[in-house]
Amino acid sequence: MVIRVRDVEWGQSESALYLKLELHGSSPSSVDIVCTRRYIKVYNPTNQANYQPYLFECLLYADVEEDESTVVIKEGQIMFNLRKVVPEVWPTFMSEEKTSQIELFKEKENKKVADGLTALKVASPSHPSTTRQNESPKEFPIRDAGKIKMSFTERYFPTPSRESRAEEEEEVSGES
């Protein structure tokens, strides 16, 4: 289900943009949210009973600060509080760019993320270790194999007596 712009409530100040999306019967626990400096996507491909699939995506009118923005999911709604990079009043929250330009923008963002991951892999060693740069790995001594002797203290746990049949048990034990 693609959400229409009329299903979005929005407001703004010079420094922030506020969006509120209704989940329309989608499961809040399985919603995927992507929010970059210029792109928002809310997706729920749910296969659960009683929940509908859900998709909302838009290219924002201008850039927002990713690190200073927040998203809250509660009571069947998703609320975005996005901090604008350049404080100004926007005529609309969505860009008027066509779908092909949105796809191009998504490809650029994916390339940036992939390049960032590649840079992380190059900067970090291929396997995790406890060494720091300019430090040689520490050698730890190998312990000799041995046996551990254990001793246990005997414990006595008396069986609780059943008070309701105490007299009958005494009679039976007295007869034998």
Side-chain angles (χ1 to χ4, degrees):
M1 156 185 210
V2 177
I3 192 167
R4 294 172 188 81
V5 176
R6 65 174 162 56
D7 295 336
V8 178
E9 292 181 31
W10 73 285
Q12 67 177 320
S13 65
E14 280 198 5
S15 62
L17 173 69
Y18 311 100
L19 295 173
K20 183 168 78 171
L21 305 173
E22 296 290 331
L23 286 176
H24 295 289
S26 292
S27 171
S29 63
S30 60
V31 172
D32 293 326
I33 299 173
V34 176
C35 185
T36 65
R37 63 183 177 81
R38 190 106 190 263
Y39 174 74
I40 294 177
K41 180 179 179 179
V42 178
Y43 180 59
N44 185 2
T46 188
N47 292 330
Q48 298 171 344
N50 302 325
Y51 291 115
Q52 301 173 2
Y54 181 85
L55 172 68
F56 169 79
E57 67 178 343
C58 75
L59 197 59
L60 296 172
Y61 182 80
D63 291 351
V64 295
E65 293 286 346
E66 293 175 59
D67 297 333
E68 296 178 21
S69 299
T70 59
V71 179
V72 177
I73 302 174
K74 68 177 186 180
E75 299 173 15
Q77 299 175 336
I78 301 175
M79 292 173 279
F80 291 87
N81 183 350
L82 308 171
R83 295 286 159 214
K84 297 177 181 178
V85 172
V86 177
E88 64 182 358
V89 176
W90 297 353
T92 181
F93 73 92
M94 288 178 56
S95 173
E96 300 299 322
E97 296 180 31
K98 302 217 180 317
T99 305
S100 62
Q101 291 172 323
I102 291 174
E103 292 300 321
L104 183 64
F105 180 80
K106 286 169 35 177
E107 286 177 21
K108 283 183 195 175
E109 288 295 319
N110 287 339
K111 185 174 180 347
K112 283 183 189 177
V113 169
D115 291 345
L117 290 175
T118 304
L120 281 175
K121 286 181 183 176
V122 169
S124 65
S126 61
H127 63 302
S129 69
T130 57
T131 60
R132 295 184 180 149
Q133 289 181 351
N134 302 328
E135 248 184 55
S136 61
K138 294 181 181 177
E139 294 292 327
F140 293 102
I142 298 174
R143 291 190 270 176
D144 294 331
K147 293 183 179 180
I148 298 174
K149 293 183 181 180
M150 299 185 73
S151 62
F152 297 97
T153 56
E154 188 175 327
R155 303 217 178 209
Y156 174 71
F157 297 101
T159 304
S161 62
R162 290 173 268 164
E163 295 174 7
S164 62
R165 299 193 171 225
E167 291 177 13
E168 292 176 19
E169 289 177 3
E170 285 178 16
E171 288 176 11
V172 171
S173 65
E175 293 175 2
S176 17

